[in-house]
């Protein structure tokens, strides 16, 4: 037996690791550049670890001469831990596992040390001192005379990062889509502030990359130092690597060209952040003698999922021709569920998830973080634990949420000017600053409306609007929070104000009205506005605390982007409608002949599909916020792949195909009123079977079934027709079955 086979057989006996022919070929390629195209679930990390071990144990490479670059610190830690398990005889500190930013930081440190220039990072965990977001907030305020919103701040930081990662010159900044007013001027002022003191620079994370690249260009000695340090370089998740990152790696490996690149062009989903998927397609232009291998066998998912996903990704044209396959057996055909209204989606999910024994086997994936809010509200009401991957609490600090709470506060006290100042522009008063200043000088014992009406400079239309608002606020006192929100939206004219603001400032109206719809869902079933405010705070705290459920038996909630690299037995992909995936912008660009945006949306959908091991369910609906919406074209595409000959049936009819799941059928015998249910009553649940009502307390009903006791939401059971009376005959039949 030769040494090569001895190495593979040894690892098979020690670890049970058996590589296929392509994986072995990748491990044995030890000289020159190699691009390894790794399909989802194809064992890329195992192959990479085995290659590092082979270089050390069979080729005799010193471990410290190997550099492995990963996409994130978590990936670096995971690869390091797995290497230690595979090759415990090799010290884990020997092989250099790190992110590209960590490598760049070392280069920058050496470069500035030579130049005798000090620097300070303005991102990450900072104890006082300059901070990137605070600087940008300050500049935005100075240029726009108003505070920046969280959404605008995210868009601004993305814009800056994109330009730096793309290495775009100043004359090309204007080509980048961005709705931030004076964005180019803000960027310029930001750079001026960071470089105001030439001997003490302020740096953000993206500066680390651009300065490291400049250092390699300008300082040959530093470049040679790092070139001489490593004989082999490996990069993982290279489809998400930006142009400046590729340039750094190019220079680093130039003398020996021993570059091992692991990537999947079909999973490139970060172009908005500066990733360069075309770099992989042009790999041989950058590395002329490169070898390209394709790992197409999927070990993760069932045949049902792999076959459909493989055909789905072929929608894209700008990709390597690959054919993902699996030797796994089929498990469950992909299911498609369509609801009449999107509000049914969360209720359906919690009913389904409640049946799952191991919650950690389930993930719910969505494109936008806002999709999680209504879901966590329902999960909490059903006491189902969850973990949110990269949770985003910005919903609870959104200005629309703050507006609604301030409107509600005004019903408790109409004398506080500080609250009124937060919302008066949303009420159609058109007050001047002078009028607002005069308001604060009036007697605090009088209501704000009385003080306003005393102002002599008011126009007739202003007086009319003030009186109408006063009447509405009086009407709102003591009402349930859902009714209060509807009064705010309609009688106070908040909806129209939002439409006008969106048109003027370029806000996403679908998102903003989605926030309002979510607030209405949270408010539904609550009795007081105090309960509503407490509920929002509770959900925010719950979202923050969900990180502690990471390794517990809890379902995972994640965006499609954050789910990359994860896998679950059952995956639900939700909110699959036109305008979400693909987004309105992607649809518009596609119509204008720009295919890149739509192709990335296809890749994002593909990433979501390939997280599933055994079961995948796609959820869509017909109405949202009272408007008709269309199911995602990607759902239609999947439907056509599964059954190209079957026509879509009318709503509510049961599909013969298992892959097409019907809405929950209407049950004519279902109990629809709470008063028709009594403690001690024998009922039948659509899912859990027959049981006895143990208690009814508030919004919960507790039922003892044959093997388990369940606390369910009474409203959901009634609304979805899940309960029906069990007559004596059915009771007898159940007992006979038990015998």
């Amino acid at each position: 037996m030769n040494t090569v086979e001895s190495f593979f057989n040894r690892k098979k006996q020690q670890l049970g690791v058996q590589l296929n022919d392509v994986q072995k070929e990748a491990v044995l390629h030890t000289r020159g550049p190699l691009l390894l195209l790794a399909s989802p679930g194809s064992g890329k990390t195992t192959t990479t670890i085995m290659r590092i071990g082979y270089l050390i144990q069979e080729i005799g490479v010193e471990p410290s001469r190997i550099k492995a670059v990963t996409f994130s610190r978590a990936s670096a830690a995971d690869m390091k831990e797995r290497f230690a398990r595979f090759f415990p005889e090799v010290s884990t500190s020997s092989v250099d596992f790190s992110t590209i930013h960590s490598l760049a930081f070392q280069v920058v440190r050496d470069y500035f040390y030579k130049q005798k220039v000090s620097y300070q990072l303005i991102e990450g965990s900072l104890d006082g001192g300059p901070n990137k977001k605070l600087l940008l907030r300050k500049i935005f305020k100075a240029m726009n005379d108003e505070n920046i919103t969280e959404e605008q701040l995210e868009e601004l930081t993305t814009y800056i990062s994109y330009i730096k990662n793309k290495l775009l010159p100043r004359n090309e900044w204007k080509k980048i889509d961005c709705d931030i007013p004076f964005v180019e001027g803000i960027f310029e002022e930001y750079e001026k502030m960071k470089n105001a003191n030439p001997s003490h620079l302020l740096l953000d994370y993206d500066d680390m990359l651009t300065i490291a690249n400049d250092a390699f260009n300008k300082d040959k000695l530093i470049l040679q130092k790092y070139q001489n340090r490593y004989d082999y370089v490996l990069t993982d998740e290279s489809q998400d690597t930006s142009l400046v990152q590729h340039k750094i790696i190019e220079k680093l490996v130039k003398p020996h060209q021993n570059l091992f690149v692991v990537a999947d062009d079909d999973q490139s989903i970060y172009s908005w952040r500066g990733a360069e998927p075309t770099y992989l397609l042009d790999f041989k232009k950058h590395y002329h003698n490169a070898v390209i291998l394709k790992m197409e066998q999927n070990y993760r998912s069932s045949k049902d999922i792999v076959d459909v996903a493989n055909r789905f990704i072929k929608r894209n044209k700008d990709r390597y021709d690959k054919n993902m396959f699996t030797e796994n057996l089929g498990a469950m055909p992909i299911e498609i569920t369509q609801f009449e209204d999107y509000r049914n989606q969360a209720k359906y999910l919690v009913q389904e998830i409640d049946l799952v024994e191991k919650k950690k086997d389930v993930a719910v994936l969505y494109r936008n973080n806002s999709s999680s809010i209504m879901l966590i509200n329902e999960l909490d009401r059903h006491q189902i634990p969850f973990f949110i991957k990269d949770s985003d609490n910005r919903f609870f600090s959104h200005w629309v949420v703050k507006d609604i709470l301030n409107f509600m506060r005004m019903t408790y006290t109409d004398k506080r000017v500080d609250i009124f100042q937060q919302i008066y522009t949303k009420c159609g008063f058109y007050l001047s600053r002078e009028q607002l200043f005069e308001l604060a000088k009036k007697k605090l014992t009088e209501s704000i409306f009385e003080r306003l009406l005393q102002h002599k400079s008011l126009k007739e239309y202003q007086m009319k609007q003030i009186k109408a608002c006063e009447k509405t606020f009086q009407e709102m006192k003591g009402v349930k929070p859902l009714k209060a929100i509807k009064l705010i939206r309609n009688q106070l004219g908040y909806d129209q104000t939002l439409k006008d603001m969106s048109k003027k400032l370029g806000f996403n109206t679908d998102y903003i009205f989605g926030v309002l719809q979510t607030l209405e869902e949270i408010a539904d079933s609550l009795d007081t506005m105090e309960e509503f405010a407490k509920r929002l705070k509770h959900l925010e705290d719950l979202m923050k605390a969900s990180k502690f459920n990471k390794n517990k038996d809890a379902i995972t909630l994640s965006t499609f982007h954050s789910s990359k690299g994860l896998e679950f037995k059952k995956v639900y992909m939700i909110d699959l409608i036109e305008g979400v995936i693909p987004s309105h912008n992607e649809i518009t660009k596609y119509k204008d002949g720009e295919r890149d945006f739509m192709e990335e949306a296809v890749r994002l959908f593909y990433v979501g599909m390939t997280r599933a091991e055994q079961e995948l369910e796609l959820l869509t609906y017909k109405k949202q916020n009272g408007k008709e919406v269309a199911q995602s074209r990607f759902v239609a595409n999947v439907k056509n792949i599964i059954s190209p000959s079957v026509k879509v049936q009318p709503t509510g009819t049961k599909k013969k195909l298992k892959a097409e799941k019907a809405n929950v059928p209407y049950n004519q015998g279902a109990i629809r009123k709470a008063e028709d249910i009594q403690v001690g009553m024998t009922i039948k649940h659509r899912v859990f079977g027959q049981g006895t009502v143990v208690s009814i307390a508030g919004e919960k009903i507790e039922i003892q079934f044959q093997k388990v006791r369940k606390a369910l939401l009474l409203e959901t059971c009634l609304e979805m027709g899940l309960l029906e009376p069990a007559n004596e005959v059915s009771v007898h039949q159940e007992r006979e079955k038990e015998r």
Side-chain angles (χ1 to χ4, degrees), residues 112-254:
F112 281 151
Y113 179 79
K114 284 183 67 175
Q115 293 189 329
K116 294 183 172 55
V117 172
S118 64
Y119 58 92
Q120 182 179 349
L121 271 177
I122 58 173
E123 285 191 86
S125 300
L126 304 170
D127 297 323
N131 175 276
K132 178 180 181 177
K133 290 186 177 180
L134 290 178
L135 287 178
L136 291 173
R137 287 181 190 277
K138 181 179 178 181
I139 299 168
F140 182 93
K141 174 79 172 178
M143 290 195 173
N144 291 282
D145 195 29
E146 61 182 30
N147 293 323
I148 192 170
T149 67
E150 290 298 318
E151 290 82 5
Q152 288 175 319
L153 183 59
E154 181 180 13
E155 185 174 2
L156 178 56
T157 54
T158 299
Y159 171 85
I160 292 171
S161 182
Y162 182 89
I163 286 173
K164 291 183 179 182
N165 277 272
K166 286 279 193 181
L167 297 174
L168 295 178
R170 178 64 181 85
N171 62 350
E172 292 189 27
W173 292 6
K174 60 180 177 291
K175 297 178 183 179
I176 310 306
D177 288 337
C178 185
D179 293 328
I180 304 297
F182 309 113
V183 67
E184 293 177 41
I186 293 172
F187 188 8
E188 284 187 325
E189 184 60 27
Y190 172 65
E191 291 301 304
K192 284 179 184 177
M193 291 179 71
K194 290 197 295 97
N195 296 289
N197 184 353
S199 61
H200 184 77
L201 303 177
L202 303 180
L203 308 179
D204 59 32
Y205 287 149
D206 296 312
D207 291 330
M208 289 294 171
L209 301 172
T210 57
I211 294 171
N213 186 53
D214 286 341
F216 278 174
N217 284 331
K218 297 174 181 177
D219 194 321
K220 291 183 179 180
L221 291 178
I222 284 183
L223 175 59
Q224 288 173 1
K225 172 185 175 180
Y226 283 88
Q227 287 176 336
N228 294 334
R229 180 178 292 181
Y230 305 113
D231 295 324
Y232 290 87
V233 176
L234 305 91
T235 64
D236 190 26
E237 300 284 6
S238 290
Q239 73 276 355
D240 299 322
T241 301
S242 67
L243 180 61
V244 67
Q245 293 170 342
H246 281 300
K247 293 297 182 185
I248 291 170
I249 297 298
E250 268 187 38
K251 296 177 181 71
L252 186 64
V253 302
K254 190 173 182 179

Side-chain angles (χ1 to χ4, degrees), residues 196-423:
N197 184 353
S199 61
H200 184 77
L201 303 177
L202 303 180
L203 308 179
D204 59 32
Y205 287 149
D206 296 312
D207 291 330
M208 289 294 171
L209 301 172
T210 57
I211 294 171
N213 186 53
D214 286 341
F216 278 174
N217 284 331
K218 297 174 181 177
D219 194 321
K220 291 183 179 180
L221 291 178
I222 284 183
L223 175 59
Q224 288 173 1
K225 172 185 175 180
Y226 283 88
Q227 287 176 336
N228 294 334
R229 180 178 292 181
Y230 305 113
D231 295 324
Y232 290 87
V233 176
L234 305 91
T235 64
D236 190 26
E237 300 284 6
S238 290
Q239 73 276 355
D240 299 322
T241 301
S242 67
L243 180 61
V244 67
Q245 293 170 342
H246 281 300
K247 293 297 182 185
I248 291 170
I249 297 298
E250 268 187 38
K251 296 177 181 71
L252 186 64
V253 302
K254 190 173 182 179
H256 52 70
Q257 297 279 290
N258 292 330
L259 176 64
F260 180 84
V261 174
V262 183
D264 183 9
D265 53 310
D266 288 333
Q267 295 187 76
S268 181
I269 55 175
Y270 288 107
S271 66
W272 51 274
R273 208 155 75 173
E276 289 278 346
T278 55
Y279 190 95
L280 296 177
L281 299 177
D282 297 333
F283 195 74
K284 285 202 170 187
K285 292 180 182 178
H286 303 284
Y287 301 95
H288 303 296
N289 60 333
V291 172
I292 298 177
L293 297 177
K294 301 174 185 177
M295 292 205 310
E296 298 166 304
Q297 184 170 356
N298 180 301
Y299 294 93
R300 173 190 301 155
S301 304
S302 70
K303 183 174 176 58
D304 307 281
I305 295 168
V306 171
D307 288 353
V308 175
N310 180 58
R311 291 177 62 186
F312 173 79
I313 195 61
K314 291 180 184 292
R315 284 178 56 109
N316 283 353
K317 306 302 179 188
D318 296 331
R319 60 185 294 270
Y320 282 102
D321 183 25
K322 299 187 292 296
N323 279 294
M324 182 172 63
F325 70 95
T326 187
E327 294 180 358
N328 295 339
L329 299 176
M332 290 281 289
I334 295 174
E335 293 181 308
I336 300 173
T337 304
Q338 186 175 51
F339 304 99
E340 279 295 325
D341 189 275
Y342 92 112
R343 289 173 295 185
N344 296 331
Q345 180 178 247
K347 291 181 172 64
Y348 169 79
L349 280 168
V350 294
Q351 291 288 339
E352 291 284 303
I353 293 168
D354 202 27
L355 301 175
V356 178
E357 187 176 346
K358 287 187 178 180
K359 302 293 188 281
K360 64 181 179 181
D361 290 340
V362 179
V364 180
L365 308 182
Y366 38 80
R367 182 163 199 176
N368 302 318
N369 277 298
S370 57
S371 295
S372 67
I373 307 300
M374 199 179 298
L375 187 54
I376 67 171
N377 185 47
E378 288 294 325
L379 289 168
D380 178 55
R381 290 172 69 187
H382 282 74
Q383 299 178 324
I384 298 175
F386 60 88
F387 162 68
I388 303 182
K389 182 82 160 57
D390 300 328
S391 62
D392 185 347
N393 297 315
R394 285 177 302 170
F395 173 88
F396 300 99
S397 60
H398 195 279
W399 56 271
V400 169
V401 177
K402 291 181 178 179
D403 280 352
I404 295 297
L405 290 174
N406 279 325
F407 278 120
M408 289 181 174
R409 289 187 184 104
M410 282 288 292
T411 67
Y412 289 92
T413 171
D414 59 2
K415 297 179 177 64
R416 287 182 56 181
V417 177
D418 59 325
I419 297 176
F420 180 73
Q421 286 176 328
Q422 303 298 317
I423 59 171

Side-chain angles (χ1 to χ4, degrees), residues 473-616:
F473 276 113
Q474 289 293 329
E475 190 179 340
M476 283 170 59
K477 286 186 176 181
V479 303
K480 292 187 176 184
L482 179 58
K483 184 176 180 181
I485 295 174
K486 291 187 180 299
L487 287 171
I488 292 165
R489 296 183 64 176
N490 300 316
Q491 287 185 212
L492 287 180
Y494 190 60
D495 275 15
Q496 187 57 50
T497 299
L498 292 181
K499 290 175 184 176
D500 294 341
M501 288 178 64
S502 299
K503 189 175 181 180
K504 179 182 176 182
L505 302 173
F507 293 153
N508 184 331
T509 54
D510 287 339
Y511 177 76
I512 287 177
F513 283 100
V515 171
L516 282 172
Q517 185 65 51
T518 301
L519 290 176
E520 288 190 356
E521 284 297 311
I522 294 171
D524 195 15
S525 80
L526 299 178
D527 291 324
T528 67
M529 287 181 256
E530 294 103 318
E531 287 181 14
F532 175 69
K534 288 178 182 178
R535 183 67 181 166
L536 286 177
K537 184 65 172 66
H538 172 70
L539 292 176
E540 182 179 11
D541 292 341
L542 203 63
M543 181 177 278
K544 291 176 182 176
S546 74
K547 63 184 178 183
F548 299 111
N549 289 333
K550 183 175 183 180
N551 297 313
K552 297 180 181 178
D553 188 31
I555 71 162
T556 295
L557 309 180
S558 173
T559 61
F560 296 141
H561 281 98
S562 294
S563 72
K564 194 147 73 74
L566 305 179
E567 53 191 60
F568 305 90
K569 287 185 179 178
K570 175 74 184 262
V571 168
Y572 296 93
M573 294 171 64
I574 68 172
D575 289 328
L576 305 182
I577 59 170
E578 293 283 285
V580 173
I581 184 161
S583 68
H584 291 299
N585 182 55
E586 287 158 349
I587 294 169
T588 301
K589 296 283 188 183
Y590 185 65
K591 288 179 179 176
D592 291 341
E594 297 183 53
R595 201 174 67 244
D596 292 349
F597 293 88
M598 185 64 74
E599 292 218 345
E600 179 146 331
V602 170
R603 296 194 293 267
L604 188 60
F605 197 91
Y606 173 78
V607 165
M609 293 177 72
T610 53
R611 300 310 96 200
E613 296 175 354
Q614 297 176 9
E615 296 180 63
L616 174 63

